Amino acid sequence: MTDTPTHAPQGSDAKLGPIARFIRDTELDTRMLGMVGALLLIWSAFHFYPIIAGLFSGNGLNMGAGLFITPRNLWNLSVQTSMTGIMATGMVLVIITRNIDLSVGSIVGVTGMVMGIVQVNILPPMLGLGSPVIWIITALIGIVLGALIGAFHGWLIAYRAIPSFIVTLGGMLVWRGAAFLTADGKTIAPVDTTFALLGGGPSGSVGAVGSWIVGILGCIAVLWIIQAGRKTRTKHGFPQRPMWAEGVLALLGCGVLIGAVLVVNAYTWPKGIVDAYVKANPDVVVPEGGLQISTGFAIPVLILIVVGILMTILMTRTRFGRYVFAIGGNPEAAALSGINTKWMTLKIFSLMGLLSGLAAVVASARLNAATNALGTLDELYVIASAVVGGTSLAGGVGTIYGAIIGALVMQSLQTGMVLIGYGDGSYRMIAVGVALVLAVYLDNLYRKKTK
Amino acid sequence: MANTGTPLVEMRDISIAFGGIKAVDHVSIDLHPGEVVGLLGHNGAGKSTLIKCLSGAYKADAGEIYINGAKVDINNPRDAREYNIETIYQTLALADNLNAASNLFLGREIVGAGGFLDDSAMEAETRKIMARLNPNFRKFNVPVSALSGGQRQSVAIARAVYFNAKILIMDEPTAALGPQETQMVAELIQELKKQGLGIFLIEHDIHAVMDLCDRAVVMKNGHRVGTVNVNEVTDEDILGMIIMGKKPPQAV
Ligand SMILES: Nc1ncnc2c1ncn2[C@@H]1O[C@H](COP(=O)(O)OP(=O)(O)OP(=O)(O)O)[C@@H](O)[C@H]1O
Ligand SMILES: [Mg+2]
């Protein structure tokens, strides 16, 4: 690897620049690199905007003004992303198979309301207030209800041949209405205290040690995946990645993980919560300068990570995932290959419903209440996340990690607009709308170039 | 060839209509082990529709299908695969966004421990069969949308051949192939015939039919014009059947 691009002999490497060679040898997905680049650009723009704006308004350079790339904001961002992210992973499957689901926000609403009633009005009299199984039963009911609603949509789409756009448009209205009727529009609060932990917040996070455990397990997984990959390539005599490329991948993977741990651990509990904690635990020693408790990863973020991993395995390593792609690529060919495409469609929508139910768990726990407006407009952000993340509306193409990064991009725009003082809905909506169209346009250009 | 034993496949009195159009109208054909039966006819004669009733893509409105003398019910492509019927469709029926190996094994993936896909094993198998069918084939790691028409065709052929079919349906298998590749398919057909497969070959090239087939069935407007033993007739006889629907005396 010593030849320079200009003087190299006519080999396969000859025409590639160092960056192209790096990407080829590491086999990194250039699309993902582009998305991560865009994300970092958005973050820096929001971070430095107040500083630059300050410069122009004559207040001089104020390096402390950047608010975006701070542990506190990034931690918040991670929690806010988790809800759309969870649903976006399912929307990928729906869109890959050339369908759409407009009902996810309303499914969040109705399952959220049902879970509110179950855990506040029904279970406590049966099991006793604060019973440790309330949260499990509640969450299961919400998730199963979501899956059933999704399965019903899928049945109408697959076996009654009603277009998914229509079924889920109808579903969007029906389930939002149903959410209202479950409690005549009343808000149900507060939720079960254990259930509330699923929404994140300082006590709904795993702390410094827990986060390190997560990070280190993640690093071990990265190394194991690289090692396993080498083994299968050897077994079948396929060419290996160069060792340096494997090293770069390992460093990148572990670096991102450890970086994330450092960020979430750098965000410490707000003072009010620490004071309350000290009061409740009189035997803790408060050091000089106050007690600093690392928040660590929030539980909803861990839920998103687990969902992301499971969905990635489902899509890349199982028959189910293979059939999802095949149906998206050519539904007729999939059917002729013996794939039961109708049953697949039903299962895909059921999975989408299940994930919406799970998102409702996180959303209502985070709000510490169930309201019939929960999840309103979420369908649009979820679809936008999947599409910004590279899922093609023409079908057949999409990745889970892309959708999660897409959700992070969409959430960053929303949070960023608030932070720089354009938080009132109108500017925020304009920014998000423009970003969506721009992202799809850039993606088209990218696909044309790589074809 | 004396076709005395039980036929491998017998399709009796098959009819199927789309809307008002009778695409196939009371057609009967049969196929014996080690035999190649050509299916000829003008565009829209009903050839593809007829064999799709055997491959499970369509369900016939009327008629019966017998495999090895036993009446069978083929309701979908999975049923057809159960009877070792493999099909190369005229449209090739590939998922454009998947690579060659994923297409070859679609619906019959190799899974390893825990039921997870073993993509490397599938790729290795694909490399093996492609080395036999199309040694110039290199594009294993790209979606088949990036392949040429002929390369796609070889993937479709590989898929039909790989799974040890007993009954092979080839709907214009050489339509997109160059002369050398066409020759390879001809050799493949002869090899498979020796192995005792029964093959339905839909083909517009009469010379190819005369070379490769034992019998030829001619269809016109959904009807069967007649069936001939190719060694008893001339090109002109068959052309006459296709164009004029004229049945020569040797035909049944
Ligand atoms: N799915 C369908 N829906 C409606 N009509 C159909 C369908 N499939 C076939 N047909 C009609 O049935 C008739 C027979 O078509 P078929 O595809 O079997 O012809 P073919 O003999 O294979 O012709 P070719 O040589 O052009 O492939 C045609 O009139 C066609 O328009
Ligand atoms: Mg045809």
Side-chain angles (χ1 to χ4, degrees):
Chain A
M1 290 282 139
T2 49
D3 46 6
T4 59
T6 36
H7 301 290
Q10 289 290 312
S12 60
D13 279 7
K15 289 180 214 76
L16 293 174
I19 296 175
R21 232 172 355 174
F22 172 81
I23 287 169
R24 186 203 58 194
D25 285 346
T26 50
E27 296 172 18
L28 277 172
D29 175 2
T30 48
R31 216 184 158 286
M32 181 180 79
L33 291 181
M35 269 189 321
V36 171
L39 187 65
L40 294 179
L41 203 69
I42 291 169
W43 286 9
S44 331
F46 282 124
H47 189 76
F48 293 110
Y49 174 84
I51 300 169
I52 294 164
L55 210 58
F56 281 106
S57 62
N59 295 338
L61 196 61
N62 179 4
M63 286 309 286
L67 286 174
F68 199 94
I69 307 179
T70 61
R72 179 189 150 84
N73 185 53
L74 293 179
W75 185 89
N76 274 321
L77 188 61
S78 71
V79 177
Q80 286 159 349
T81 301
S82 50
M83 200 180 110
T84 7
I86 288 169
M87 289 191 278
T89 62
M91 192 61 80
V92 171
L93 279 64
V94 170
I95 297 179
I96 285 181
T97 50
R98 308 183 183 188
N99 285 310
I100 197 76
D101 193 337
L102 299 172
S103 68
V104 295
S106 296
I107 297 181
V108 168
V110 75
T111 51
M113 283 309 296
V114 169
M115 285 190 288
I117 292 169
V118 165
Q119 64 185 318
V120 174
N121 298 344
I122 299 179
L123 290 182
M126 287 164 63
L127 302 164
L129 193 66
S131 157
V133 292
I134 286 181
W135 76 272
I136 299 185
I137 297 176
T138 304
L140 277 181
I141 287 176
I143 291 168
V144 169
L145 179 64
L148 288 176
I149 293 174
F152 178 58
H153 290 172
W155 178 76
L156 288 173
I157 294 159
Y159 292 92
R160 289 294 165 263
I162 311 172
S164 58
F165 186 92
I166 300 300
V167 169
T168 58
L169 182 62
M172 175 172 120
L173 298 168
V174 167
W175 302 116
R176 184 60 68 197
F180 186 92
L181 291 179
T182 42
D184 287 326
K186 284 196 288 286
T187 294
I188 297 171
V191 299
D192 177 75
T193 45
T194 320
F195 186 87
L197 298 181
L198 299 172
S203 40
S205 301
V206 294
V209 178
S211 299
W212 276 115
I213 292 174
V214 170
I216 289 167
L217 285 178
C219 286
I220 293 172
V222 167
L223 297 176
W224 181 81
I225 289 169
I226 290 176
Q227 163 63 19
R230 286 192 79 82
K231 237 166 72 188
T232 33
R233 287 185 192 215
T234 310
K235 187 171 143 208
H236 295 286
F238 299 158
Q240 292 284 1
R241 271 195 286 254
M243 262 335 260
W244 69 263
E246 307 274 26
V248 167
L249 287 178
L251 276 179
L252 264 181
C254 295
V256 168
L257 281 164
I258 289 170
V261 172
L262 290 174
V263 168
V264 293
N265 282 349
Y267 175 51
T268 50
W269 288 18
K271 195 167 174 334
I273 296 176
V274 174
D275 290 347
Y277 172 76
V278 171
K279 211 180 249 171
N281 300 278
D283 44 332
V284 285
V285 194
V286 180
E288 216 165 303
L291 191 61
Q292 301 281 327
I293 303 176
S294 290
T295 311
F297 287 115
I299 289 174
V301 175
L302 296 180
I303 294 177
L304 172 62
I305 292 172
V306 170
V307 166
I309 292 172
L310 291 180
M311 292 292 284
T312 302
I313 293 173
L314 182 73
M315 287 303 279
T316 59
R317 306 252 31 101
T318 71
R319 285 195 162 138
F320 181 88
R322 183 59 47 82
Y323 296 169
V324 169
F325 281 113
I327 292 170
N330 186 345
E332 197 196 348
L336 290 176
S337 300
I339 296 169
N340 192 339
T341 53
K342 290 181 178 171
W343 181 227
M344 282 292 298
T345 301
L346 192 150
K347 284 195 282 190
I348 290 164
F349 275 88
S350 181
L351 180 58
M352 182 73 252
L354 181 150
L355 291 168
S356 306
L358 182 59
V361 171
V362 170
S364 58
R366 188 167 142 72
L367 198 62
N368 198 13
T371 77
N372 61 68
L374 199 68
T376 304
L377 285 187
D378 270 2
E379 54 280 341
L380 300 183
Y381 289 111
V382 168
I383 293 168
S385 301
V387 171
V388 166
T391 310
S392 161
L393 285 169
V397 181
T399 57
I400 300 297
Y401 65 76
I404 294 176
I405 299 177
L408 200 51
V409 168
M410 300 309 281
Q411 192 59 51
S412 299
L413 284 171
Q414 300 210 59
T415 312
M417 291 302 279
V418 175
L419 278 184
I420 64 169
Y422 290 100
D424 80 61
S426 41
Y427 286 106
R428 211 172 60 198
M429 283 199 276
I430 291 173
V432 170
V434 169
L436 172 65
V437 176
L438 189 67
V440 172
Y441 174 66
L442 290 177
D443 194 44
N444 280 351
L445 289 186
Y446 169 84
R447 278 183 217 280
K448 274 211 189 96
K449 260 193 101 173
T450 52
K451 255 244 161 85
Chain B
M1 176 181 286
N3 292 325
T4 44
T6 322
L8 189 55
V9 181
E10 204 185 342
M11 297 178 78
R12 268 191 216 157
D13 230 12
I14 302 287
S15 295
I16 181 168
F18 298 105
I21 304 166
K22 288 182 176 167
V24 175
D25 199 2
H26 297 286
V27 174
S28 299
I29 54 172
D30 60 352
L31 178 69
H32 291 259
E35 187 187 34
V36 181
V37 171
L39 207 47
L40 294 97
H42 59 83
N43 291 126
K47 308 178 293 291
S48 298
T49 307
L50 176 65
I51 55 96
K52 278 183 179 172
C53 295
L54 179 59
S55 72
Y58 293 152
K59 180 109 181 80
D61 298 336
E64 287 125 39
I65 299 174
Y66 297 82
I67 308 265
N68 292 320
K71 187 167 184 301
V72 296
D73 235 352
I74 296 177
N75 291 310
N76 54 49
R78 265 161 298 153
D79 292 346
R81 285 181 168 188
E82 291 283 305
Y83 296 112
N84 295 314
I85 300 169
E86 293 291 332
T87 312
I88 300 161
Y89 291 98
Q90 191 171 7
T91 51
L92 301 185
L94 302 174
D96 279 340
N97 55 338
L98 300 180
N99 63 22
S102 305
N103 267 294
L104 202 152
F105 285 94
L106 193 57
R108 287 178 287 202
E109 292 75 8
I110 300 180
V111 290
F116 292 114
L117 296 177
D118 191 343
D119 275 316
S120 348
M122 289 191 266
E123 185 181 330
E125 286 298 301
T126 307
R127 283 177 187 271
K128 266 189 234 158
I129 181 131
M130 290 310 278
R132 187 155 77 90
L133 294 179
N134 183 353
N136 297 322
F137 191 91
R138 292 281 175 281
K139 297 194 162 175
F140 291 98
N141 288 312
V142 295
V144 295
S145 59
L147 305 186
S148 76
Q151 288 166 335
R152 291 163 59 86
Q153 198 120 31
S154 54
V155 173
I157 294 174
R159 176 169 61 181
V161 174
Y162 180 82
F163 291 97
N164 299 320
K166 294 208 173 68
I167 299 154
L168 190 57
I169 301 168
M170 304 173 106
D171 195 346
E172 305 191 29
T174 58
L177 298 184
Q180 194 190 350
E181 288 81 3
T182 302
Q183 185 54 36
M184 289 191 61
V185 172
E187 282 162 22
L188 176 71
I189 289 175
Q190 262 140 7
E191 184 193 322
L192 295 172
K193 178 178 151 79
K194 266 194 217 115
Q195 293 171 14
L197 274 78
I199 301 176
F200 279 124
L201 177 65
I202 298 179
E203 178 64 73
H204 285 294
D205 179 3
I206 292 184
H207 298 290
V209 172
M210 297 300 266
D211 280 349
L212 293 170
C213 298
D214 302 296
R215 285 185 297 149
V217 177
V218 177
M219 289 182 67
K220 190 170 166 57
N221 297 330
H223 295 279
R224 193 188 70 167
V225 175
T227 305
V228 293
N229 290 325
V230 293
N231 53 14
E232 294 170 3
V233 291
T234 62
D235 294 12
E236 282 73 30
D237 290 333
I238 293 183
L239 263 178
M241 290 171 81
I242 295 172
I243 298 168
M244 265 97 72
K246 196 175 73 187
K247 199 164 149 182
Q250 307 93 312
V252 288

